[in-house]
Amino acid sequence: MTTASPLTGRQLTLVAGDDRAVVTEVGANLREFTVGGRDVVVGFGEHELPPASNGAVLVPWPNRVRDGRYTWDGVERQLPITEPARGTALHGLVCWERWDVVRHDDAAVTLALDTVPQPGYPFPLHVEITYALDGAGGLDVTLTTTATGDVAAPYGVGFHPWLSPGPGSLDDAVLQLDAESWVPTDERLLPTGVEPLPERFDFREPRRLGSTDLDDAFVDATRDADGLSWLRLRGTDGRTAAVWMDSSLSCWQMCTGDHVAAEAARRTGLAAEPMTCIADAFRTGERLITLEPGDAHTVRWGLRLL
């Protein structure tokens, strides 16, 4: 009897003390992260596809590009429309690619991908990502992208972990976010400006999430003495699943999943997405990075159970 191969390719397991993570060959997704058996992220099965971009790496742009169309260096480009309902190009180009495993030991793994130029994004990139357990309830992530072409490339990066509320419901979890401003959107979830935090989305001080419906970006990140910005979700078990980002990342996206296509993924966790830019950056230029030929850009973030 033949055993079916996992849909996301090789399953790369990391273990350090009570910490355990699984990273997939396809997409370099973080499929699982637990500490002492407690979920830090909402994962998915070995023989499943990620139902709502769970653990995805978002390169060379996070979030959406309106109509998949942008102009760079005087040339209009058309990206594939990967979110037909909203007519957008969603979450970059690497989510469904099979990455190469560069190194894999007990507690860390590095994967790499050379992107293939295409009409909508004819800019070759070399991307490397490392996931490393620290053995004390933390998982550190470092990603470096190098422009390998002969012209400048537009670039952004983000990540899509879904924080787990633990054994209780998401509604009963307590949320706290280090950010001062909110990005309102239109009916296509594309940004229309930046505003002060409305009361319903002000989680600068920890409070119960309740029935709050989120699929929103937040900017003007605040930082602690170590230069880190945090998003924390405390479950009814008293444990807190947290994401941090260093100064290489400046924006947050939070989503409760109320409207994701996979009904089983709705309000099971909180997407806690560190990003370099918000939606539509290829069109607006807001926080967009220009990678000159040979340039390398590195970001760092991580997950922790507190």
Side-chain angles (χ1 to χ4, degrees), residues 18-20 33-40 136-138 239 304-305:
D18 290 334
D19 305 350
R20 184 178 190 274
F33 176 39
T34 62
V35 175
R38 203 277 199 185
D39 288 333
V40 182
R239 304 302 303 273
R304 179 163 291 277
L305 186 65

Side-chain angles (χ1 to χ4, degrees), residues 174-176 203-208 234:
V174 172
L175 174 61
Q176 186 271 322
F203 290 94
R204 288 174 292 183
E205 295 298 323
R207 64 182 177 89
R208 183 175 175 270
R234 187 174 77 241

Side-chain angles (χ1 to χ4, degrees), residues 12 100-105 108-111 128 130:
L12 306 160
D100 295 321
V101 179
V102 178
R103 291 179 297 277
H104 181 206
D105 57 32
V109 64
T110 298
L111 301 98
E128 288 201 12
T130 297

